[in-house]
Amino acid sequence: MAGKVTVRDYDESDWPHVWPVIEEVVRAGDTFPFPTDLTEQEARGIWLENGPGGRVAVAVDGDRVVGTAKMGRNRPGPGAHVATASYMVAADARGLGAGRALVVDSLDWARESGYAAMQFNAVVATNTGAVRLYESLGFTVVGTVPRAHELPSGERVGLRIMHVDL
């Protein structure tokens, strides 16, 4: 990566650059609990619809979109005070700060939006880089659903539920 990664709000013109990041991540099947055969149309609907007050952001290095995040409330009604977020980073940008920038941005957004906490419902246990990143930002694993994610190899691994008070 050439420069400093920055995060900004998603713009409709970003989709042609966001879709390849999403496609790469979901096709790999090892870090994200979306179907590996997800179509672009399905991905667009899932990624861009985040409920009332939700947000989509992109991480950019210069003019290049290197990652994306979606965020919103974790549950409606009595659970609407807890935020959630999901992140995807291009493989060649991992480990270079894009993921951290997206998570920090989403935590700032959640605090500014008045959420009391943030919860991740499905962090693949073998995605140790993400787990370490989240823990470094104050998240704790509050539980693991055993064998809830099937890797491309057929091995079933846990999905971590992670939480941080804001």
Side-chain angles (χ1 to χ4, degrees):
M1 290 181 24
K4 181 175 171 18
V5 174
T6 58
V7 177
R8 63 169 171 76
D9 286 341
Y10 168 87
D11 180 86
E12 196 58 39
S13 65
D14 291 323
W15 183 254
H17 309 287
V18 168
W19 165 240
V21 174
I22 293 173
E23 184 177 30
E24 176 184 45
V25 170
V26 299
R27 298 285 182 262
D30 58 350
T31 61
F32 214 86
F34 281 1
T36 57
D37 62 352
L38 191 72
T39 68
E40 182 176 358
Q41 182 178 355
E42 291 167 334
R44 186 181 183 95
I46 292 169
W47 203 253
L48 299 182
E49 175 48 50
N50 293 300
R55 177 175 173 248
V56 176
V58 291
V60 294
D61 180 19
D63 293 335
R64 181 176 171 229
V65 172
V66 295
T68 183
K70 64 180 263 138
M71 55 206 87
R73 61 186 184 191
N74 190 49
R75 296 282 178 253
H81 61 285
V82 178
T84 192
S86 298
Y87 316 95
M88 294 193 191
V89 174
D92 65 352
R94 291 185 195 142
L96 301 174
R100 178 173 290 277
L102 286 164
V103 178
V104 168
D105 177 80
S106 69
L107 288 167
D108 290 345
W109 168 85
R111 283 184 189 97
E112 291 166 9
S113 299
Y115 287 97
M118 185 173 278
Q119 175 180 321
F120 300 150
N121 302 318
V123 181
V124 178
T126 53
N127 190 358
T128 55
V131 172
R132 276 194 310 273
L133 170 60
Y134 304 152
E135 288 177 335
S136 78
L137 293 170
F139 285 84
T140 57
V141 175
V142 296
T144 301
V145 182
R147 299 170 305 284
H149 183 86
E150 188 169 279
L151 296 172
S153 66
E155 177 187 4
R156 292 183 178 159
V157 298
L159 284 178
R160 305 242 194 264
I161 301 165
M162 301 188 75
H163 177 271
V164 65
D165 280 318
L166 301 174

